[in-house]
Amino acid sequence: MDFEIVNGPVEALETDCIVVGVEAEGKLAPSAAALDKATSGYLSELVESGDITGKAGELLTLFKLPGLKARRVMVVGLGKADERKDRHYRKLAAAITSSVKKAGIASTAIALDGLASDQEDTYRQTRQLVEWITAELYQYDATKSKKADPIKLEKVAFLLSEEDTELGEGALLDGVAIANGVDSAREVANLPGNICTPSYLAERAIALAETHDSIQVEILDEAQMEELGMGALLSVGRGSAEPSKLIVMRYTGTDAEEKPHALVGKGITFDTGGISLKPGAAMDEMKYDMGGAASVLGAMEAVAEMHLSLNLVGVIAAAENMPGSKATKPGDIVTTMSGQTVEILNTDAEGRLVLCDALTYVGRYEPQSVIDIATLTGACIIALGHEATGLLSNDDDLAESLLDAGDYAADRAWQLPLWDDYQEQLDSNFADMANIGGRPAGTITAACFLSRFTKEYRWAHLDIAGVAWNSGKAKGATGRCVPLLSQYLLDLSEQKDLAED
Ligand code: BES
Ligand code: MN
Ligand code: ZN
């Protein structure tokens, strides 16, 4: 799919379809008004007759209007001013896309004149459209014998004023990079556990490094992890025939001397719970327990495509959590790479076990910041539902940067407290800590556990248990938090560029 910016009078656009907006009470947006004028009042007549109301979500396609080059005009309802939040805008983008897709046309132009969103930020609006149109066109067929019909839509053009064109071009570049990252994250997360194993994740990382000269990859096997003393990470894969992997990707976008930022993803390619076996209902969804790893892969890809001027380390702690005769048992005690010991009271609290050793490992890069991303706790779904990512951090500035990035990228997070008061829930009579802290505040105690391994650097934890995938009929991976992470890194890269200018 090609995205492009076009200028010029809307009535002269040659395209299969031109999309224009109408506000509530039938008030034509500027491009709609221009079309109205060019067609001697065609649209205002339909407003008059009540066929166009401008209600949010209204979609009307008109054919072959006299005086226009475009073959179709799609009039979309923008609704009232308070109906232009991100969620409305996203719905609108989805509705336009599915309508255009259904019509089977090859090209469309969109002229929403900035009114469709409540934010007067042309870059942001254009980028969002790119991301959301791409997401709407995503179709999974990797494991179907009948492949999805190819998408006929080849070109989407955004009509912008000449002065906004440069901004728009930048939005297309960033939008496509982020959209590709989201697509890749969804694709790898949607694959079943018998295909997407820790070794498969390693292959994906190798493939990414092959397509981007700026990315290098190193895969650590179990023997190497043993050598490093990663007793916690290794304990998780003990019951599985699939070997665990530590996947280390390095993106170099600036002076090699500059300290990197780091992303660390939970890559449990299937979480049965281990000996603390999960109940059967919806256990299939635990193939998504590598959603954090998927978002690290997706964000690395987006960062490389945007050529951000920073250095970045992406680490994936990959293992399969299975019961078996060699599996870790409740009560077993392991020694982490940090030297701290852990009493594993519940083998289903495995994410923190793989992450803690990966977090110790990234310390060697003296990172400027470390973000881990994990489908870590069911408790996060209880706390925040399926809207917000849970955010916990040992650094308030870092937390704020991530919250802001999430807001801007429409991939929002919400902070929970990481107070020391919660730490004692992890007390153990037999080891330095237990791997569970009881039912209260499960998301916080999980982060408390991780915080014991991240004292040396600025760190934040993103719990994506509630947002990484949709259940039910729309079952599928979402690609969250690729937009948030990409935005955070984009902001860092831009701040640096500004400081250097
Ligand atoms: N991967 C799960 C968390 C999860 C569960 C994410 C359901 C999304 C949906 C994680 O490994 C887990 O099992 N966590 C336990 C922790 C508990 C044993 C302290 C949980 O949340 O129940
Ligand atoms: Mn688990
Ligand atoms: Zn898990």
mmCIF file of all heavy atoms in Angstrom, residues 266 271 273 278 289 321 347-351, ligand 2:
data_model
loop_
_atom_site.group_PDB
_atom_site.id
_atom_site.type_symbol
_atom_site.label_atom_id
_atom_site.label_comp_id
_atom_site.label_asym_id
_atom_site.label_seq_id
_atom_site.Cartn_x
_atom_site.Cartn_y
_atom_site.Cartn_z
ATOM 1 N N LYS A 266 8.960 -9.946 27.513
ATOM 2 C CA LYS A 266 8.625 -11.285 27.995
ATOM 3 C C LYS A 266 8.245 -12.129 26.780
ATOM 4 O O LYS A 266 7.312 -11.798 26.055
ATOM 5 C CB LYS A 266 7.448 -11.222 28.982
ATOM 6 C CG LYS A 266 6.885 -12.594 29.367
ATOM 7 C CD LYS A 266 5.754 -12.497 30.398
ATOM 8 C CE LYS A 266 5.087 -13.854 30.628
ATOM 9 N NZ LYS A 266 3.962 -13.799 31.585
ATOM 10 N N ASP A 271 2.194 -20.374 27.839
ATOM 11 C CA ASP A 271 2.184 -20.407 29.301
ATOM 12 C C ASP A 271 1.075 -21.338 29.791
ATOM 13 O O ASP A 271 -0.083 -20.945 29.886
ATOM 14 C CB ASP A 271 1.973 -18.987 29.848
ATOM 15 C CG ASP A 271 1.995 -18.958 31.373
ATOM 16 O OD1 ASP A 271 2.400 -19.968 31.982
ATOM 17 O OD2 ASP A 271 1.621 -17.905 31.945
ATOM 18 N N GLY A 273 1.223 -22.493 32.719
ATOM 19 C CA GLY A 273 1.281 -22.331 34.171
ATOM 20 C C GLY A 273 2.334 -23.251 34.782
ATOM 21 O O GLY A 273 2.742 -23.069 35.912
ATOM 22 N N LYS A 278 -2.593 -23.998 34.764
ATOM 23 C CA LYS A 278 -3.742 -23.113 34.615
ATOM 24 C C LYS A 278 -4.998 -23.925 34.363
ATOM 25 O O LYS A 278 -4.916 -25.030 33.815
ATOM 26 C CB LYS A 278 -3.526 -22.192 33.401
ATOM 27 C CG LYS A 278 -2.542 -21.079 33.609
ATOM 28 C CD LYS A 278 -2.481 -20.191 32.370
ATOM 29 C CE LYS A 278 -1.483 -19.070 32.563
ATOM 30 N NZ LYS A 278 -1.834 -18.125 33.632
ATOM 31 N N ASP A 289 1.379 -15.053 25.265
ATOM 32 C CA ASP A 289 2.210 -14.651 26.398
ATOM 33 C C ASP A 289 3.611 -14.213 25.957
ATOM 34 O O ASP A 289 4.484 -13.965 26.777
ATOM 35 C CB ASP A 289 2.285 -15.801 27.415
ATOM 36 C CG ASP A 289 2.402 -15.289 28.843
ATOM 37 O OD1 ASP A 289 2.131 -14.104 29.068
ATOM 38 O OD2 ASP A 289 2.782 -16.091 29.719
ATOM 39 N N ASN A 321 6.585 -22.393 29.046
ATOM 40 C CA ASN A 321 6.302 -22.813 30.422
ATOM 41 C C ASN A 321 5.398 -24.048 30.415
ATOM 42 O O ASN A 321 4.203 -23.940 30.173
ATOM 43 C CB ASN A 321 5.634 -21.657 31.174
ATOM 44 C CG ASN A 321 5.489 -21.922 32.665
ATOM 45 O OD1 ASN A 321 6.178 -22.772 33.232
ATOM 46 N ND2 ASN A 321 4.596 -21.188 33.315
ATOM 47 N N THR A 347 4.542 -21.735 39.912
ATOM 48 C CA THR A 347 5.291 -21.764 38.642
ATOM 49 C C THR A 347 4.571 -20.989 37.538
ATOM 50 O O THR A 347 5.115 -20.808 36.453
ATOM 51 C CB THR A 347 5.526 -23.212 38.157
ATOM 52 O OG1 THR A 347 4.249 -23.816 37.880
ATOM 53 C CG2 THR A 347 6.269 -24.037 39.197
ATOM 54 N N ASP A 348 3.337 -20.540 37.837
ATOM 55 C CA ASP A 348 2.611 -19.733 36.863
ATOM 56 C C ASP A 348 3.033 -18.258 36.920
ATOM 57 O O ASP A 348 2.668 -17.479 36.050
ATOM 58 C CB ASP A 348 1.104 -19.879 37.099
ATOM 59 C CG ASP A 348 0.283 -19.416 35.910
ATOM 60 O OD1 ASP A 348 0.873 -19.186 34.841
ATOM 61 O OD2 ASP A 348 -0.951 -19.292 36.069
ATOM 62 N N ALA A 349 3.790 -17.886 37.947
ATOM 63 C CA ALA A 349 4.338 -16.521 37.981
ATOM 64 C C ALA A 349 5.724 -16.593 37.359
ATOM 65 O O ALA A 349 6.749 -16.357 38.001
ATOM 66 C CB ALA A 349 4.376 -15.994 39.402
ATOM 67 N N GLU A 350 5.750 -16.993 36.063
ATOM 68 C CA GLU A 350 7.013 -17.274 35.370
ATOM 69 C C GLU A 350 7.589 -16.077 34.631
ATOM 70 O O GLU A 350 8.791 -16.019 34.386
ATOM 71 C CB GLU A 350 6.813 -18.438 34.378
ATOM 72 C CG GLU A 350 6.254 -18.057 33.000
ATOM 73 C CD GLU A 350 4.856 -17.461 33.044
ATOM 74 O OE1 GLU A 350 4.145 -17.699 34.037
ATOM 75 O OE2 GLU A 350 4.478 -16.745 32.099
ATOM 76 N N GLY A 351 6.705 -15.122 34.292
ATOM 77 C CA GLY A 351 7.177 -13.978 33.508
ATOM 78 C C GLY A 351 8.262 -13.218 34.236
ATOM 79 O O GLY A 351 9.316 -12.885 33.677
HETATM 80 MN MN MN B 2 1.919 -17.665 34.067
#
